[in-house]
Amino acid sequence: FDPTEVSAKRAMAPLLVRSIEGAGALDAALSERGARLTAEGRAAPVTVGDGATLVMLEASQGRDRLMLDGKGYVTRRSGERWTLAQVREMVEREPQRLSPNVLLRPVVEAALLPTLAYVAGPGELAYLPQAEPVYRALDVAPQQPVGRWAARFVEPRVQRVLDKYELTPDDLDR
């Protein structure tokens, strides 16, 4: 599956437009979710609450975040302005110019490719709980997050050095 193919972009376009249309409410819900996670001592690694939509746009300076700007939208870096009607028109003509951000991507994947589990690495496992309001707002059933298999191989000579200094591989990570 290639999410950059025009047919895939067309399939995800309705979700991207819905997330743009509800960007203000989504931003508020994500801020509230992040505060709740933090209060529970859990991670909320994705910055929210700054008026950003969950959609990226290929603009004049490359891939750029679409931000709320009054009744319209503006790209964060290039400052290009868009109305909702212009965004909808772009989706019809050039769906490949839009893509989901990190919190919208797993929701789009769940909608396009329904699965029981989402095999994720540590970073994804950290931010998936933060995406809960997006699943709810777009009426997409979330997948069960499952940690991806990982391993570390330590050569015998390296292990001898670790043993000599009473260290573990995890000590080296820190």
Side-chain angles (χ1 to χ4, degrees):
F1 180 75
D2 182 355
T4 63
E5 284 290 323
V6 174
S7 58
K9 293 287 191 174
R10 285 198 196 287
M12 69 177 76
L15 289 166
L16 300 181
V17 170
R18 282 178 52 206
S19 75
I20 291 169
E21 291 169 342
L26 269 172
D27 196 38
L30 286 166
S31 293
E32 182 181 310
R33 176 69 175 163
R36 209 168 42 241
L37 288 170
T38 302
E40 294 170 3
R42 297 168 65 192
V46 180
T47 301
V48 295
D50 59 356
T53 73
L54 301 176
V55 175
M56 307 296 285
L57 170 68
E58 283 297 328
S60 63
Q61 293 184 13
R63 192 168 185 251
D64 206 344
R65 188 78 174 266
L66 203 55
M67 307 290 293
L68 289 168
D69 184 45
K71 294 185 181 194
Y73 307 90
V74 62
T75 50
R76 182 177 279 171
R77 287 191 329 269
S78 64
E80 296 168 61
R81 299 199 175 283
W82 305 87
T83 65
L84 182 56
Q86 290 171 319
V87 170
R88 286 181 178 143
E89 185 179 315
M90 182 191 327
V91 167
E92 289 297 316
R93 283 190 341 263
E94 304 174 277
Q96 67 276 11
R97 290 185 63 191
L98 299 170
S99 59
N101 85 331
V102 70
L103 292 176
L104 182 56
R105 182 184 45 78
V107 179
V108 168
E109 290 171 357
L112 296 183
L113 306 166
T115 57
L116 295 175
Y118 185 97
V119 180
E124 293 162 316
L125 288 173
Y127 69 70
L128 276 174
Q130 201 174 347
E132 184 272 331
V134 185
Y135 285 96
R136 192 171 2 97
L138 298 178
D139 197 29
V140 175
Q143 320 90 317
Q144 176 64 42
V146 176
R148 161 174 77 225
W149 182 85
R152 178 185 300 150
F153 295 94
V154 180
E155 296 178 36
R157 65 185 183 86
V158 172
Q159 186 61 54
R160 284 192 297 276
V161 172
L162 292 173
D163 291 343
K164 177 180 176 182
Y165 293 102
E166 298 178 357
L167 295 171
T168 69
D170 289 338
D171 292 328
L172 297 178
D173 286 343
R174 287 188 286 280

